[in-house]
Amino acid sequence: DLEHYDPTGAGRRIEAFVEDLSNWYVRRSRRRFWKSESDEDKLAAHHTLYQCLVTVSKLLAPFCPFMSEEIYRNLVVRPDPDAPASVHLTDFPVADESRIDSDLAAATKLAIRLSSLGRAARAKAGIKVRQPLGHALVMVTSEREQKMVHRIASQVLEELNVKRLEVA
């Protein structure tokens, strides 16, 4: 978006990424971050979050120069004195598209959507998420989505606090 002189679009994409990062990844990974043993899973969760935060600081540099500088210095310069001294001296991030798992991204978006709709249905019915339910009925629009539901069922079950997920 910045290459096409659309800073508003770029800012909205960064905002959407930060929303997904904080409202989905961090919340879903909370147990991984706080477990007592320091195994590969915990280290991978921390490394992923670290990489995301460093990248966000670089993406924000043209928009929020002082805030992004503070984030970068705290995350990168303080632990690694050999790193560039400023976020403004680093290269702007470029996506490595070979690392994108589009099936996983689509499944995660579906999990977020189903969880959001399920929480809205519970709120409308006046049933708090803390109260477990026997099952949830979800409707999907395609066979592909139906296959994705099976891939993400455990996440949706946990998010909605239900025992079983039925697909219609």
Side-chain angles (χ1 to χ4, degrees), residues 94-106:
V94 177
D96 180 0
E97 294 188 18
S98 68
R99 300 182 77 187
I100 297 173
D101 184 343
S102 56
D103 291 337
L104 177 61

Side-chain angles (χ1 to χ4, degrees), residues 12-100:
R12 287 185 178 144
R13 286 180 184 234
I14 295 168
E15 177 186 23
F17 176 75
V18 171
E19 285 289 321
D20 287 345
L21 180 67
S22 63
N23 291 328
W24 186 257
Y25 180 76
V26 171
R27 192 168 44 77
R28 296 286 310 147
S29 299
R30 198 170 287 141
R31 286 188 198 109
R32 295 171 69 198
F33 294 136
W34 293 108
K35 61 183 173 181
S36 57
E37 64 273 3
S38 189
D39 60 1
E40 284 187 34
D41 182 52
K42 180 178 180 174
L43 294 174
H46 281 181
H47 180 72
T48 299
L49 182 59
Y50 175 81
Q51 290 299 321
C52 289
L53 293 174
V54 170
T55 301
V56 166
S57 75
K58 293 177 182 180
L59 291 171
L60 286 175
F63 301 96
C64 310
F66 300 112
M67 183 181 73
S68 62
E69 181 70 17
E70 185 70 19
I71 294 168
Y72 177 82
R73 285 184 182 218
N74 285 328
L75 289 175
V76 178
V77 176
R78 204 172 272 166
D80 181 10
D82 296 331
S86 170
V87 68
H88 304 289
L89 298 174
T90 64
D91 292 332
F92 198 74
V94 177
D96 180 0
E97 294 188 18
S98 68
R99 300 182 77 187
I100 297 173

Side-chain angles (χ1 to χ4, degrees), residues 74-147:
N74 285 328
L75 289 175
V76 178
V77 176
R78 204 172 272 166
D80 181 10
D82 296 331
S86 170
V87 68
H88 304 289
L89 298 174
T90 64
D91 292 332
F92 198 74
V94 177
D96 180 0
E97 294 188 18
S98 68
R99 300 182 77 187
I100 297 173
D101 184 343
S102 56
D103 291 337
L104 177 61
T108 302
K109 283 182 183 175
L110 180 61
I112 292 169
R113 191 173 89 228
L114 293 177
S115 298
S116 177
L117 291 170
R119 283 191 298 272
R122 287 182 79 121
K124 186 176 181 180
I127 303 170
K128 296 194 182 282
V129 177
R130 283 178 275 160
Q131 180 180 349
L133 295 175
H135 72 281
L137 178 65
V138 298
M139 295 184 71
V140 294
T141 58
S142 68
E143 193 174 309
R144 180 176 182 249
E145 281 188 348
Q146 189 170 1
K147 289 177 184 176

